[in-house]
Each structure stands twice: as structure tokens, then as C-alpha cells.
Amino acid sequence: MRIRRILAAVFATAALAGLGLTGAATAAGVTPASVTPGECTDNGGTIDRSTPVLPTCRGGMYDGQTVD
């Protein structure tokens, strides 16, 4: 009975640790909500200033992101 509790605790800890690692990996792969003009052009994009509210990066890695 005692071994079952220990094994359950070990599996629960491993599962929670795995969730933490995947959450960190997912967060690292997220693109920012807005980019700088240099980030846009350095990664193959051009700055489109014809958008009504904010300039937008067109093309490249940050396509569609707002430029601040």
C-alpha cells in the first residue's frame, strides 16, 4: 500500500514537471504582438505604413505584426 502511494506521487510529479517543460517551450515559440522596424526589415519584411491605425510588417518572419 505504501509503495503505491510513493509511485503515485512519483508519477504525479513527473507529469507536472513535463507540463512545465512543454509550457516553457510553447512560450518560447510565440511571436511578439509588435516588432521594431529593425526586426521587421532584418527578417525579410517591409514596413507597410498605409494601414489605418499602425504600420504593419509585410513579408518575412513577422508578416502581419504591427510595427511600433
Side-chain angles (χ1 to χ4, degrees):
M1 188 62 120
R2 192 171 179 179
I3 291 177
R4 287 184 189 171
R5 288 185 196 155
I6 293 172
L7 285 176
V10 168
F11 284 124
T13 303
L16 291 175
L19 289 175
L21 290 175
T22 57
T26 304
V30 174
T31 57
S34 63
V35 295
T36 63
E39 287 174 331
C40 178
T41 56
D42 289 346
N43 289 294
T46 57
I47 300 171
D48 180 9
R49 297 187 192 282
S50 66
T51 54
V53 180
L54 292 172
T56 305
C57 185
R58 297 288 178 210
M61 182 176 168
Y62 297 112
D63 186 39
Q65 300 292 326
T66 58
V67 177
D68 58 1

